[in-house]
Amino acid sequence: METAEKILKQYFGYDTFREGQKELVGSILEGKDTFGVMPTGAGKSICFQVPALIMEGITLVVSPLISLMKDQVEGLNQAGVHAAFLNSSLTSGQYFKALEYAKNGRYQIIYVAPERLVTESFLDFALNVQISMVVVDEAHCVSQWGQDFRPGYLKIVEFISKLPSRPVVSAFTATATKEVREDIVYLLALQNPVIVTTGFDRPNLYFAVQSPKDKYASMKNYLELHPAQSGIIYCLTRKTVEEVFERLCGDGFSVAKYHAGLSDRERRTGQEEFIYGRKEIMVATNAFGMGIDKSDVRYVIHYNMPKNMESYYQEAGRAGRDGDAAECILLYGGQDVVTNQFFIDHNQDNEALDEAAREVVMERDRERLRKITYYCFTNECLRDYILRYFGEYKENYCGNCSNCLSKFEKTEVTDIAKVLIGCVKTCGQRYGSGVIIDAVHGANTAKIRGYGMNHNPYYGELAKVPVFKLRQVLNYLFLSEYLKATSDEYAIVKLTEKGNAVLAGDDIVVMKMPKEEEHPAKVSKSKGSGKGAFSGGELTGREETLFEGLRALRSEIAREEKVPPYIVFSDKTLSHMCVVRPRTEEEMLTVSGVGEFKYRKYGERFLEAIRNGEK
Ligand code: ADP
Ligand code: ZN
């Protein structure tokens, strides 16, 4: 492992391995098949790149996305590693040229699209060189149960079997339920793999949910407090992307946009503007982000609630991949539920399914939608909610989410609960939650009259309680199983034993409520907020000035080299430089993220900028 640590320092500039990395690197170096399940940003690439630089021969990395390959190869080249990619973005001339170089042993690491593996030209190359390892990145793509199934991944095993001697096979993914994990081991035919799973937690991410009356105003306020930072704003529909984009442009923000309704060219332009730091803010639908490796995204705002927790965590997880503090904020509005419901009911992906299968999928999707709605309403630790959702049980307090940091008081809501549950019972458990809330609130609508709910004994009983609060209590009743909803499209509210006990006066209901005088939508200020236990605190004013100077230098270099700024150095590395304030080469090499190769390229310029900053 000594060599591995040396390589880590020399090429990547890091002193120590992170959780899981050491085991994974060690296992690969022992020649064992290896499978790593780590959350986004945990540092999967290092796990195969370090051994690739130690082992003799070539490492092939199978990756599903062109943008991902490009980013990784650029990063490696910047670190002084000879790497290349082979995919459909190359012209045939470029492709054969690269293969020629590869045959001559020029590259230690080659990224390749799965579909290429068993082509004649690629096999001709692969059979005549020494392939020491095949890495399967985003390994969940091999499974039909995964979110991004790629049939090409099924060819990997066939390819490996054609090789004269079997290389080490390693696989990595950030998202894998148990079924998908088993699929990966089986479909990639891993042999007695060493499996390393690290937790899903991302301690440097701060989570918040807000339900502002005016989403745009609230978001604008946030953006004004976070100038010169890179962030993504996710909207549910193309139309909302366009609206938000227009308004932000009008308000003078530096924005790019991305959604499936734009032409290829427009999308590519938007994406590049954002990645290269020419535009600070990206407004996009969920079509944006797969394979985007931009590591210095400081915040991800969801302008709408996404369709489920899986999507949310994946999209929010694009913040703070460099490990520095970052914020994930979800702006909830009641309309988001309706829009998502509509998507579920009109999902064209389901058209190929038969009636029964479609019903199962739709039920599953509605259930997932409900779970994320509860996330928006819970007053408990948000991180804990997320981790539980993914099957990890930890403490119920993280100290770095809007709920842990808000003041709550335990409030008894038995009276409200009794009315809600009573209403469900007396209406014969026939209606959805909207009708129940309208009824107890005393709404005088055609629907309520049509259902005869204006004659329900609980009609108008809670007319004085605001609807938002009713929703909150009702959601709490679902969350704690005082009530349940059917999983068909009507989501009819049903009683449970626990609920009956409350009605009978045998149980009370206590929930956490935000303290009345406090505003839940308090927005934090300043760079990365520094709240994360991870960030090591905020920069002081003096450091902040230096940081801006170093950022400017980084942009200049990025322009010269035609690479995104974070490929030169990450935000985290720049912050660390501001704290260390190195004066010599030796000191500079102690900064996390400064390897020898990068030092030779840029070290002097950064040292000079720091010296000038001292004056
Ligand atoms: P993943 O592929 O798991 O999402 P990456 O491989 O992109 O994560 O790594 C995320 C970030 O963490 C990168 O900026 C990477 O350079 C950094 N990183 C990886 N390993 C370490 C380490 N041991 N120490 C410090 N930073 C690291
Ligand atoms: Zn928390």
Side-chain angles (χ1 to χ4, degrees):
M1 282 311 281
E2 237 171 70
T3 336
E5 259 143 16
K6 237 198 246 150
I7 296 279
L8 181 71
K9 181 71 190 162
Q10 184 187 340
Y11 285 93
F12 302 98
Y14 301 131
D15 289 323
T16 49
F17 282 111
R18 288 188 186 155
E19 187 195 347
Q21 286 181 330
K22 202 169 184 155
E23 292 86 328
L24 288 159
V25 170
S27 158
I28 291 174
L29 288 176
E30 282 172 27
K32 295 180 186 154
D33 279 5
T34 303
F35 180 18
V37 185
M38 300 162 104
T40 308
K44 284 183 283 298
S45 328
I46 293 279
C47 300
F48 56 82
Q49 287 168 351
V50 167
L53 294 178
I54 296 174
M55 298 192 304
E56 265 181 43
I58 297 171
T59 290
L60 290 180
V61 184
V62 183
S63 170
L65 290 156
I66 290 175
S67 53
L68 201 85
M69 295 188 204
K70 188 162 170 269
D71 210 64
Q72 296 239 330
V73 167
E74 259 172 12
L76 285 168
N77 290 340
Q78 283 290 324
V81 177
H82 293 285
F85 59 80
L86 300 172
N87 61 35
S88 60
S89 75
L90 302 180
T91 61
S92 144
Q94 288 169 324
Y95 175 68
F96 284 103
K97 184 119 203 180
L99 266 189
E100 194 57 42
Y101 283 147
K103 263 188 211 160
N104 295 331
R106 169 128 167 195
Y107 308 119
Q108 288 160 290
I109 303 180
I110 298 173
Y111 283 74
V112 58
E115 293 78 13
R116 293 246 157 206
L117 291 172
V118 289
T119 60
E120 207 173 307
S121 57
F122 191 79
L123 279 173
D124 173 52
F125 149 73
L127 297 181
N128 290 298
V129 293
Q130 188 197 346
I131 309 278
S132 46
M133 170 159 65
V134 172
V135 180
V136 185
D137 202 6
E138 311 288 347
H140 58 278
C141 290
V142 78
S143 167
Q144 300 205 38
W145 303 108
Q147 297 192 328
D148 324 291
F149 174 57
R150 273 283 286 265
Y153 266 58
L154 297 170
K155 299 210 191 296
I156 297 173
V157 172
E158 182 190 333
F159 167 74
I160 291 173
S161 69
K162 288 189 171 28
L163 295 174
S165 68
R166 189 177 183 279
V168 176
V169 182
S170 64
F172 294 87
T173 178
T175 48
T177 55
K178 189 163 161 291
E179 293 85 15
V180 175
R181 263 175 233 184
E182 285 165 5
D183 252 13
I184 290 171
V185 172
Y186 175 71
L187 293 170
L188 293 178
L190 299 182
Q191 297 178 356
N192 300 319
V194 173
I195 303 180
V196 178
T197 311
T198 62
F200 265 63
D201 192 12
R202 302 270 313 275
N204 61 318
L205 298 186
Y206 162 81
F207 289 96
V209 175
Q210 299 172 1
S211 309
K213 283 214 180 64
D214 183 343
K215 280 188 184 183
Y216 184 79
S218 169
M219 179 177 76
K220 185 169 165 239
N221 179 31
Y222 180 92
L223 299 179
E224 279 165 354
L225 289 167
H226 294 75
Q229 289 189 6
S230 176
I232 306 175
I233 297 166
Y234 277 112
C235 306
L236 214 41
T237 63
R238 299 173 191 182
K239 189 161 155 267
T240 317
V241 169
E242 291 293 344
E243 282 165 13
V244 170
F245 175 81
E246 288 304 326
R247 285 185 81 176
L248 287 175
C249 286
D251 284 330
F253 289 97
S254 159
V255 253
K257 66 178 169 180
Y258 190 104
H259 60 71
L262 300 172
S263 69
D264 281 355
R265 213 169 115 215
E266 288 169 308
R267 266 181 293 164
R268 200 166 47 240
T269 309
Q271 178 165 322
E272 287 193 350
E273 283 174 338
F274 178 65
I275 289 184
Y276 285 84
R278 293 193 291 271
K279 294 281 164 69
E280 281 160 12
I281 303 169
M282 169 57 91
V283 187
T285 58
N286 63 2
F288 176 75
M290 249 295 251
I292 300 298
D293 238 345
K294 187 170 166 59
S295 69
D296 62 349
V297 174
R298 293 273 67 87
Y299 58 83
V300 171
I301 296 177
H302 278 77
Y303 198 73
N304 305 103
M305 178 181 76
K307 62 179 186 237
N308 56 38
M309 292 300 294
E310 285 88 345
S311 310
Y312 182 62
Y313 203 50
Q314 189 172 47
E315 287 155 19
R318 297 195 173 115
R321 294 180 66 145
D322 53 13
D324 227 352
E327 306 198 337
C328 309
I329 295 161
L330 197 166
L331 302 178
Y332 172 86
Q335 183 60 34
D336 301 341
V337 182
V338 180
T339 311
N340 275 304
Q341 196 73 57
F342 180 86
F343 285 151
I344 293 174
D345 296 340
H346 300 86
N347 186 349
Q348 292 182 346
D349 294 344
N350 294 345
E351 264 166 24
L353 303 174
D354 63 42
E355 187 67 29
R358 189 159 56 223
E359 199 41 52
V360 171
V361 169
M362 280 166 73
E363 265 187 30
R364 187 196 63 193
D365 289 349
R366 287 190 204 105
E367 182 60 25
R368 287 180 171 170
L369 175 59
R370 261 199 287 284
K371 292 265 168 66
I372 191 164
T373 312
Y374 298 155
Y375 174 78
C376 295
F377 277 92
T378 182
N379 287 332
E380 304 294 333
C381 175
L382 293 174
R383 184 183 316 277
D384 188 56
Y385 187 95
I386 295 171
L387 294 178
R388 270 169 203 272
Y389 184 87
F390 292 109
E392 268 181 45
Y393 296 87
K394 284 202 182 160
E395 282 171 43
N396 197 350
Y397 178 87
C398 75
N400 192 23
C401 76
S402 58
N403 284 351
C404 285
L405 294 174
S406 299
K407 287 220 176 84
F408 288 100
E409 49 198 357
K410 289 221 158 160
T411 316
E412 198 189 320
V413 290
T414 314
D415 290 345
I416 297 178
K418 268 189 169 166
V419 174
L420 288 167
I421 299 170
C423 184
V424 170
K425 186 165 185 167
T426 49
C427 74
Q429 309 185 52
R430 279 185 300 161
Y431 303 118
S433 54
V435 171
I436 302 296
I437 285 185
D438 280 353
V440 301
H441 199 248
N444 185 14
T445 62
K447 191 169 180 186
I448 288 295
R449 288 193 302 274
Y451 290 155
M453 287 301 278
N454 47 340
H455 301 303
N456 184 282
Y458 295 95
Y459 179 75
E461 192 79 352
L462 297 176
K464 291 216 177 76
V465 183
V467 169
F468 183 76
K469 187 160 177 185
L470 292 176
R471 245 301 127 219
Q472 230 171 12
V473 176
L474 187 67
N475 275 295
Y476 180 74
L477 295 177
F478 282 123
L479 198 62
S480 306
E481 294 175 348
Y482 290 99
L483 290 173
K484 61 183 184 218
T486 58
S487 51
D488 55 36
E489 67 177 292
Y490 305 108
I492 293 162
V493 188
K494 300 280 182 188
L495 287 174
T496 65
E497 243 173 72
K498 266 179 95 175
N500 272 317
V502 173
L503 260 193
D506 294 336
D507 198 1
I508 60 165
V509 181
V510 177
M511 66 180 280
K512 274 167 73 181
M513 288 285 223
K515 277 202 167 159
E516 294 288 338
E517 72 271 53
E518 211 119 20
H519 232 282
K522 218 168 61 191
V523 201
S524 62
K525 188 171 136 298
S526 98
K527 186 185 159 288
S529 88
K531 271 191 253 55
F534 218 73
S535 68
E538 273 175 63
L539 296 179
T540 63
R542 182 161 155 258
E543 287 162 358
E544 190 93 40
T545 315
L546 178 57
F547 183 81
E548 290 313 321
L550 298 184
R551 259 173 69 108
L553 173 58
R554 179 178 68 177
S555 298
E556 194 183 308
I557 293 174
R559 269 194 303 277
E560 289 166 17
E561 302 262 329
K562 298 196 172 54
V563 296
Y566 60 90
I567 294 273
V568 177
F569 283 130
S570 72
D571 276 7
K572 194 171 177 153
T573 297
L574 294 191
S575 315
H576 199 201
M577 257 182 225
C578 296
V579 177
V580 175
R581 295 189 169 246
R583 290 165 171 277
T584 62
E585 170 175 353
E586 212 181 358
E587 286 172 9
M588 186 58 115
L589 284 169
T590 66
V591 172
S592 172
V594 183
E596 279 170 24
F597 189 78
K598 279 197 185 170
Y599 178 82
R600 281 204 296 281
K601 277 183 99 168
Y602 319 122
E604 273 303 324
R605 288 171 77 176
F606 278 89
L607 279 177
E608 192 188 322
I610 294 168
R611 271 196 298 272
N612 290 337
E614 302 277 294
K615 282 178 199 152

